[in-house]
Every structure is written in C-alpha cells, then in structure tokens.
Amino acid sequence: MSIKSFTSTDNLNGIRSEETESATTITTETGDGGAPTMRSKGLEAQLRRKVDLRLCTIAGVLSSLYLLDSSVISSASVTSMIEDLGLEGNRYSVAIFIFTIASVAFQLPSTIAVRLFGPRIWFASITIAFGVITLCTAFIRTWKEMIAMRILLGIAMSGIFPGLTLLISSWYTREEQQLRFAFLSSGQVFVLATGSIVNFGLNHLDRHDNLRGWQWMYLVQGMVAIVIGIISYWWMVDFPENANQSFHFLSKQETELAVARIQKDRGDVELTPFSWGEVLRHFLDPKIYGFAALFFLLNVVSTALSYFLPIILQSGMGFSSNQAILLSAPVSLAKMALRASANSGKPYYYAIIPALISSRIGDKYHTRGPVITFNCLCLIAGFAMLGFSSQVTVRYVGTYLATGAFVSNWAALNSYQANNITGQWKRTVTAAAVTACNGLGGVAGSYIVRQKEAPRYITAIWVSIGSHILMIGLVLALSAYFYTANRKQAKGKKVIEETEGFRFTY
C-alpha cells in the first residue's frame, strides 16, 4: 500500500487550519466545499467502534498484567510471604525494584520487537511467558529465588506498556487518543482492583493442600495470565497497514480507510526500514526527555500507592491483613467497611470515572496541558488529606483524589506525547523512553513509604506533592514551547517534526 503525500495543517489548539487531501489508494467521499459526507463520517464511526472493541479491550487486559504483579506482591506482603521467604528488611523493596530494573533494561528492544514481529506474535509470547513465571513463583522457597523470578518477570513484561502505547497511537487520530488511553488505563485499574478481591478470597485458602495464601495468589493468577496470552494471539490486532491480516477484523477496504485517516492526520503510516541509526537519532530530540521526566514524576506516586496501599491501610490505619487486601481494591463491601470504620467506596474503581471524564474533555476541546495540570492539583489535594489529617475517613477519601488523579494523568500524558511526535520509529523510541522512566519513577516510589514513619508516611506525602508541583512547571514549559513553535509554523518560518503542516498539541 503506497502513501504518496501528506499536506495537512492541523488545528488542535483553536488556530485556523487548512487541509489538503492526501493521495492514497482510496478517496474519502466529500460534499460541497470538501466537507466529509454523512456516509464517510458513518464509515469512520463504524471503523472506530471496531477498533475500540478489538484493540482497547485486549490492550486493557494485557496492560493490567503489569499491574497484576503489583497487586499480587502487595497483597501477599501482608500475609505470611515476608516470613516464609525471608523478605525482611529491605529485601521486599529490592524484590519490587529489581523487576523494574529488568523491565527498563529491555524496554527499547522489546518495543522494537513489537514492530518487527507484529503485535499478535509478540504480545501472546511475552504474556504466556509472564504467566508461566508467575505460576512458578508459587513454589519458590527463598528470597533469592524470589529475586530471580522478579528479574524474569521484568524481562517478560518489558514490551507490554510501550508496545501497547505505540499500537494505540498508531491507530487513532490525535483528537481521539486520550479517551482511548483512558480506556486502556480503566482496564488496568479494573483488573488490578478485581485482582485484589480475588487475592482476598485466595488468602482464605491458606494452608489448603499445603499451600499458603500467597502461593494460591501466584498459582491462580499465573494460570489466568497464560489463558489471556493464548486468547490474545487471536484477539490482538496488527498495525493499521496490516490490519486486514488480523483474525476476523477489517476488510481490505476498511484497512485502506484506517490508513487514510492516519495519513491525513499526521502522515506517518509508512514504516521506514529498520536501522539502529534511524532509531537512535530520535534521542537527540529534547522534548522526549521532557515527556520522560513527566512519566518519572507521575509514577513515583502511582507505584507508592499500588505497592504500599495495603500496608498503609494495615499499619497506618489499623486494618487487618484481609481488610488491607480488600480495602486496597476498588469495590464496595459495606459490611466490612462499617466494621473497619472506613468509607465503603474503593479508590481504584472510582479512578475510572475521572479518567474517562477528563479524557473526553481533553479530546473534545483538543487540549492536553490544562487537563494534566488540573489532575496534578487534585493529586496534591488528595495527598495533603492523606498526610495531614488525623481522621481515618479523611485520609481514605484522600486516596480517592490521589488515585483518580494519577490514573487520569496516565492517559493525559500518553496523549500529550503521542500528539506531538511523528514517524513510526520515533513513536517506538518515545514509547520506550517514557515507559522506562515511568519504571524508574517506580524504583523511587518503592522507597518513599518508610515503615518507621507510620502512620503518617511524611516522606511519601511530601515527595508526592513535590513531584506534581514539578510536573505542573514542566507542562507549562513544554506547552509554551509548543505554542511558540505553532506560531512560527503558521508564519511559514518553521517545519515541525520534519512534516509539512504538522502542529503541536498543548
């Protein structure tokens, strides 16, 4: 499929734009004045629904496996696992961050592999590998074996987040992306939350068939991951230009329409031949480091909450092990909540609501920076409630604000970076870079909750607040740069992203 040209001046920030149709293998029906007809809009809407159903569903499930690991190990941390494996002292934190280190090290090659081998083969393979390793973790006996399993898990999962980010950004136009990333993050938190509920039930099998509760968690969720990996081989879709090769997905004509949409939006459908020079040259773009820094600052908070919320609930708020496992999940169990004197709502399920609402607003008004800034302010307020209030109810409500804010900002930041780059290999590099720094933020996050500071955890509170103040400053700086570049482009003084007509989104 040949793509001849791209000449589109896009307006994602309220500035007047002019578009010239790109020459592709298909033509889009237009009415008077070049406006798309109702029929062409209907075909695009039908195409989006098909892509949403296939891609967003499986992407949400697969990306949740990364968080499923944190759900299992955090739930297991308040059972007998620490004592059984000798994970006392800083060994538990080492087990957490070694997973991240292994994942970061293999992020770029694994993301490139998604492009070279195809999403169906690569995602299915690494998901099955993740399931097998998780299952085997149920039968380890020492903390050293746990460290080895964590390294293998990190390698297996290294391509999930950046690969799915790359795939979603390749399928949707820029004004459609944030809502789709919100679908992805909603799937993540839904499975993460449900996993905590499952862990609560599995912990009641403690000593059944000579297995402890934490072993049942790893055993069952490992088997679930294997099944998901097998299903993903048929359910996962390929990149737009190869979509008709996916299992019962798009026709050849629908594939051509998908390609034409993306080509008109940003002109980067075609994949240039792979070479390390072509890939690595994109690291010279400074804004990639700005995006990476934003993800680092975000994940300092999210990792702290996802790994240590059960511990905060147990030692900081006085809940039992089973209550800590359950209350870290986003469900409503009123009886237990009343016995625990806590709010019956659960923060992760709630987080889906602000993520979808803020993403819908961001896409509708074609804005990213203000949405990110608002979410940062909500998180700061949430952590202030969590850290400086003496009432358990107020602290728990604070976790709602904090959780909703960082889940919302994950979608917003992904669309922020994906909207402002072009080229398939540059998307690959950026997705790998921001996910790597997201993981490095996790390393920092795994250390900021200090047990000796219970029940206030004041270091975690101030680091979380400070990181989001820095995020606001960085977003303002990037958006100012994008605004200035767009003005130069409008006057014909600058070509953005080596693409005629391309404009930044802020």
Side-chain angles (χ1 to χ4, degrees), residues 27-108:
T27 59
T28 303
E29 292 186 37
T30 58
D32 294 338
T37 65
M38 292 298 292
R39 183 173 183 272
S40 67
K41 289 183 178 179
L43 290 174
E44 286 200 41
Q46 181 180 356
L47 175 65
R48 281 194 298 270
R49 284 194 295 270
K50 280 191 173 183
V51 179
D52 288 344
L53 179 62
R54 284 287 292 271
L55 177 55
C56 291
T57 52
I58 191 62
V61 173
L62 288 182
S63 64
S64 69
L65 294 178
Y66 201 101
L67 297 179
L68 179 64
D69 171 75
S70 69
S71 172
V72 174
I73 195 170
S74 64
S75 295
S77 69
V78 292
T79 66
S80 65
M81 184 187 72
I82 300 294
E83 181 181 351
D84 292 345
L85 298 181
L87 287 169
E88 295 87 356
N90 68 347
R91 290 173 180 173
Y92 175 69
S93 291
V94 171
I96 292 173
F97 85 71
I98 200 68
F99 171 91
T100 304
I101 296 299
S103 179
V104 167
F106 285 84
Q107 219 107 70
L108 182 58

Side-chain angles (χ1 to χ4, degrees), residues 178-245:
Q178 186 170 343
L179 184 60
R180 273 67 194 188
F181 283 122
F183 290 159
L184 179 62
S185 60
S186 297
Q188 293 170 19
V189 298
F190 186 88
V191 175
L192 172 63
T194 305
S196 294
I197 301 169
V198 172
N199 292 337
F200 169 76
L202 293 174
N203 195 42
H204 283 80
L205 295 177
D206 191 38
R207 300 187 184 281
H208 186 74
D209 287 341
N210 295 319
L211 293 177
R212 301 307 304 266
W214 65 268
Q215 291 177 297
W216 280 108
M217 295 178 197
Y218 278 103
L219 181 65
V220 171
Q221 300 202 44
M223 289 189 291
V224 169
I226 293 172
V227 172
I228 291 173
I230 295 171
I231 294 173
S232 68
Y233 178 77
W234 284 276
W235 195 256
M236 178 57 68
V237 303
D238 211 317
F239 288 94
E241 67 273 19
N242 300 319
N244 61 314
Q245 300 175 14

Side-chain angles (χ1 to χ4, degrees), residues 362-414:
D363 281 346
K364 181 177 181 179
Y365 295 103
H366 306 157
T367 185
R368 307 301 180 207
V371 174
I372 296 170
T373 300
F374 176 78
N375 289 332
C376 288
L377 293 174
C378 288
L379 186 136
I380 290 171
F383 267 90
M385 295 168 65
L386 183 61
F388 305 125
S389 174
S390 59
Q391 295 184 353
V392 169
T393 301
V394 173
R395 297 184 72 199
Y396 193 50
V397 170
T399 65
Y400 276 78
L401 281 176
T403 306
F406 79 69
V407 171
S408 299
N409 256 350
W410 189 88
L413 287 177
N414 268 297

Side-chain angles (χ1 to χ4, degrees), residues 130-323:
F130 174 85
V132 171
I133 297 167
T134 300
L135 189 151
C136 291
T137 305
F139 303 102
I140 61 176
R141 291 290 180 267
T142 68
W143 69 271
K144 293 181 180 179
E145 292 173 348
M146 170 62 93
I147 298 300
M149 291 294 102
R150 302 289 296 164
I151 293 173
L152 293 176
L153 281 171
I155 295 172
M157 282 289 95
S158 59
I160 287 288
F161 265 138
L164 291 173
T165 300
L166 171 64
L167 188 58
I168 288 178
S169 67
S170 297
W171 265 103
Y172 294 98
T173 61
R174 283 174 288 166
E175 63 264 33
E176 298 167 350
Q177 288 176 354
Q178 186 170 343
L179 184 60
R180 273 67 194 188
F181 283 122
F183 290 159
L184 179 62
S185 60
S186 297
Q188 293 170 19
V189 298
F190 186 88
V191 175
L192 172 63
T194 305
S196 294
I197 301 169
V198 172
N199 292 337
F200 169 76
L202 293 174
N203 195 42
H204 283 80
L205 295 177
D206 191 38
R207 300 187 184 281
H208 186 74
D209 287 341
N210 295 319
L211 293 177
R212 301 307 304 266
W214 65 268
Q215 291 177 297
W216 280 108
M217 295 178 197
Y218 278 103
L219 181 65
V220 171
Q221 300 202 44
M223 289 189 291
V224 169
I226 293 172
V227 172
I228 291 173
I230 295 171
I231 294 173
S232 68
Y233 178 77
W234 284 276
W235 195 256
M236 178 57 68
V237 303
D238 211 317
F239 288 94
E241 67 273 19
N242 300 319
N244 61 314
Q245 300 175 14
S246 301
F247 185 74
H248 287 298
F249 184 35
L250 300 183
S251 66
K252 184 177 180 180
Q253 289 181 332
E254 288 173 323
T255 299
E256 291 176 342
L257 175 59
V259 169
R261 276 169 25 91
I262 302 306
Q263 187 67 12
K264 185 178 180 180
D265 179 59
R266 55 183 181 266
D268 67 352
V269 171
E270 284 191 325
L271 181 67
T272 58
F274 171 77
S275 71
W276 281 109
E278 173 64 20
V279 171
L280 296 178
R281 75 180 182 90
H282 297 299
F283 282 106
L284 298 176
D285 187 346
K287 69 175 177 289
I288 290 179
Y289 299 96
F291 295 140
L294 286 171
F295 276 86
F296 175 89
L297 294 169
L298 176 70
N299 207 40
V300 167
V301 172
S302 63
T303 300
L305 278 177
S306 64
Y307 277 118
F308 291 102
L309 183 56
I311 297 175
I312 291 173
L313 289 165
Q314 183 185 35
S315 63
M317 298 185 183
F319 298 131
S320 69
S321 294
N322 280 330
Q323 289 171 337

Side-chain angles (χ1 to χ4, degrees), residues 193-194 197 326 329-333 344-349 396 400:
T194 305
I197 301 169
L326 194 58
V331 297
S332 181
L333 292 176
S344 62
K346 307 300 179 281
Y348 284 108
Y349 278 165
Y396 193 50
Y400 276 78

